[in-house]
Amino acid sequence: MKISNAARREIDGGLVRLESKAGVGLIPAVMWLDANLNKDIRESGVIIGAYTSAQRIELSDKIISDGGYEFVLLVSDDDLVRFMGKTLDFKGGRFVLL
């Protein structure tokens, strides 16, 4: 999976806000939210979470680098196919897979 410049800017902007509150460095986590599993509170799609930099060692086998941009792809095996060969982008105020 690749991450577009627009998605990186959006992710980084959110991380900066979270890092200032948390007081620690963060590693972005790309996840899939399934509407069926959250009682349709939110539609299915990509959401972004984060791990603390202190968790880097335990995540070392899960960290992906796209041209030096590090992130964790945190999805079930069933949802992994949604991300394979795709680019995460940010358009119209939301993350999309292209």
Side-chain angles (χ1 to χ4, degrees):
M1 185 183 90
K2 302 285 186 195
I3 300 183
S4 73
N5 288 335
R8 289 179 190 202
R9 282 190 301 273
E10 186 67 20
I11 293 168
D12 289 346
L15 290 182
V16 166
R17 290 188 297 277
L18 290 173
E19 286 173 340
S20 67
K21 290 180 182 179
V24 296
L26 299 173
I27 302 165
V30 178
M31 301 176 276
W32 182 258
L33 179 70
D34 188 324
N36 294 323
L37 298 178
N38 72 48
K39 300 181 183 177
D40 292 320
I41 294 170
R42 184 169 168 182
E43 67 183 64
S44 295
V46 175
I47 60 172
I48 305 298
Y51 287 100
T52 67
S53 55
Q55 295 172 291
R56 177 174 287 282
I57 292 172
E58 66 187 82
L59 295 170
S60 63
D61 62 331
K62 295 177 177 63
I63 295 174
I64 299 168
S65 178
D66 174 22
Y69 189 83
E70 293 185 327
F71 64 97
V72 175
L73 181 58
L74 184 63
V75 298
S76 70
D77 290 341
D78 290 340
D79 289 325
L80 186 59
V81 68
R82 298 177 191 276
F83 294 83
M84 301 308 293
K86 301 284 180 82
T87 297
L88 179 65
D89 199 5
F90 190 77
K91 291 184 176 194
R94 60 184 295 190
F95 291 101
V96 294
L97 292 166
L98 305 173

